[in-house]
Amino acid sequence: MNALRTIEWVGDLDGHVALIDQTLLPERLEILRCADVECIWEAIRNLRVRGAPAIGIAAAMGVVLAVRAAPEDDPQRLIMRIDEACDYLATARPTAVNLFWALERMKRCARGAAAELATPSPPWGEGGARGSVNQIKLALLNEAKAIRDEDAAMCRAIGRAGLHLIREGIGVLTHCNAGGLATAEYGTALAPLYAAHEAGRHFRVFATETRPLLQGSRLTAWELQRADIDVTVICDSMAAQVMRASKVNLVIVGADRIAANGDVANKIGTYGLAVLAKAHAIPFYVAAPSSTFDLSIADGSQIPIEQRSAEEIRRGFGRLTAPEDVACYSPAFDVTPAELVTGIFTDRGLIAPVTRAAIADAIRP
Ligand code: MRU
């Protein structure tokens, strides 16, 4: 099976971003081509590209699109343009820290490239100021591509770290989509499943539908089926029953932001699943790359939770599913307290038990 390439840069500085439009799955696999930053912002906001790592990659590439044709020939002015583009992209969605992590990385890259070019004399090296502006733009493009490639490598490492969990014949429950579609490729929560499948193991995955936008039934089921992995979709409300019927040996989910104490923000419904897993003595694991940890916040109460439009509940996928004018409450994420998390698989190995000290140790810069 070909690995899904969720998002990539095509061509040189004058190229474009190609991403799978996830709003069309599972009906159609279509590539959206973005040549300007507004297209990327809209794709993130409307979940054409979604999942914390993929959002970060999209934002990084969006910065390149925003400034590649900038007329400035003064590096400092270009840096101002870059900061503006980052501020704009940062408004697309609030919860996944990978977005802000990637934007900070792009800003650092630009400043680093500018500082390097400023040192030799004559001041801006060969080609003068214009030449150095182009070099900063090229450095940004390389950084965005590196963020993508590093994410793919981190996902493989998560798969290796979690492989031992996926024993022959077990049942695994996952929520939302933390697979190849949510990352550069391969996924986080789904990475150990792909690794176990590659190792020839057989197991069953229960994918919760994930109301209101159905990332579980539309995306997780689609990509696992495509990989020939045994997957069964359940409505969110069926999880307790499936657990009580002893069909699930472990739960594994992704994360949008993990606080310094191990509290985990992830797709709405994750917290409820963690409570259910505890009630049924089922281990509850999280899988996330180091770019999803936010050590600047002490605990999950400080994680900004995105509120989405009531229309996604009232008129899901084009049909009225609630009275037209009824009030709806629609947080897109919830926070699972660290004490409900058995362990966190990262590209740097397993963090278990989940303590502030263990996280600080594993996620050192
Ligand atoms: O609203 P979404 O679809 O972007 O939410 C995605 C999730 O909650 C994922 O579980 C999380 O981003 C981890 S992706 C590896």
Side-chain angles (χ1 to χ4, degrees), residues 47 50-53 55 93 176-178 182-183 188 215 254-256 266-267 333:
L47 277 63
R50 31 76 40 211
I55 290 173
R93 292 187 78 188
C176 192
N177 172 267
T183 59
T188 58
Q215 290 91 330
D256 285 84
N266 191 49
K267 178 52 56 194
F333 302 95

Side-chain angles (χ1 to χ4, degrees), residues 22-344:
Q22 299 186 36
T23 60
L24 303 177
L25 287 170
E27 275 181 352
R28 298 200 302 283
L29 175 57
E30 258 180 41
I31 303 297
L32 172 68
R33 298 182 189 279
C34 285
D36 57 51
V37 64
E38 288 79 13
C39 176
I40 293 286
W41 187 95
E42 190 276 340
I44 295 173
R45 168 63 67 107
N46 292 323
L47 277 63
R48 298 184 197 286
V49 60
R50 31 76 40 211
I55 290 173
I57 298 164
M61 293 180 176
V63 175
V64 182
L65 292 178
V67 301
R68 62 170 172 188
E72 279 79 9
D73 52 15
D74 170 10
Q76 289 317 315
R77 290 231 163 117
L78 181 70
I79 286 184
M80 278 170 57
R81 287 281 287 248
I82 292 165
D83 288 352
E84 279 165 23
C86 290
D87 290 348
Y88 168 61
L89 284 159
T91 63
R93 292 187 78 188
T95 304
V97 76
N98 303 61
L99 172 70
F100 309 98
W101 169 87
L103 294 174
E104 278 310 310
R105 210 170 132 165
M106 296 301 278
K107 285 189 205 171
R108 271 203 310 279
C109 164
R111 284 173 169 74
E116 218 166 89
L117 289 161
T119 21
S121 63
W124 300 111
E126 240 174 84
R130 167 113 321 260
S132 68
V133 159
N134 279 336
Q135 289 192 49
I136 295 169
K137 292 176 182 174
L138 277 173
L140 285 176
L141 176 57
N142 289 336
E143 190 73 354
K145 287 181 177 172
I147 288 173
R148 188 227 160 267
D149 293 348
E150 287 168 26
D151 184 65
M154 288 195 286
C155 288
R156 298 278 165 179
I158 292 169
R160 287 191 293 276
L163 169 62
H164 68 277
L165 276 188
I166 315 300
R167 298 180 313 278
E168 182 68 26
I170 70 166
V172 180
L173 186 141
T174 189
H175 187 54
C176 192
N177 172 267
L181 289 167
T183 59
E185 54 186 67
Y186 212 63
T188 58
L190 299 195
L193 305 178
Y194 284 128
H197 181 67
E198 283 157 19
R201 287 178 214 163
H202 304 88
F203 50 89
R204 168 164 294 172
V205 182
F206 290 93
T208 50
E209 201 177 26
T210 318
R211 281 278 289 151
L213 296 181
L214 306 184
Q215 290 91 330
S217 55
R218 291 191 304 105
L219 308 177
T220 298
W222 180 81
E223 68 166 271
L224 289 179
Q225 215 176 41
R226 187 175 176 273
D228 229 4
I229 292 177
D230 179 352
V231 57
T232 300
V233 172
I234 57 170
C235 300
D236 300 327
S237 50
M238 296 169 188
Q241 174 56 28
V242 170
M243 288 186 190
R244 191 159 69 178
S246 302
K247 292 180 190 294
V248 174
N249 301 89
L250 69 94
V251 177
I252 184 162
V253 298
D256 285 84
R257 194 184 296 225
I258 302 175
N261 72 337
D263 290 350
V264 175
N266 191 49
K267 178 52 56 194
I268 189 74
T270 302
Y271 172 40
L273 289 173
V275 173
L276 284 178
K278 188 179 165 77
H280 292 87
I282 296 169
F284 182 91
Y285 286 98
V286 171
S290 31
S291 50
T292 299
F293 286 78
D294 184 353
L295 301 189
S296 74
I297 57 169
D299 61 54
S301 65
Q302 295 165 42
I303 298 176
I305 300 293
E306 177 181 10
Q307 299 291 326
R308 294 206 51 100
S309 157
E311 281 301 277
E312 291 177 351
I313 296 178
R314 285 193 297 240
R315 199 181 287 275
F317 303 95
R319 275 205 58 182
L320 206 57
T321 47
E324 203 148 16
D325 52 357
V326 76
C328 295
Y329 169 57
S330 188
F333 302 95
D334 59 26
V335 175
T336 300
E339 62 264 24
L340 293 179
V341 181
T342 311
I344 306 176

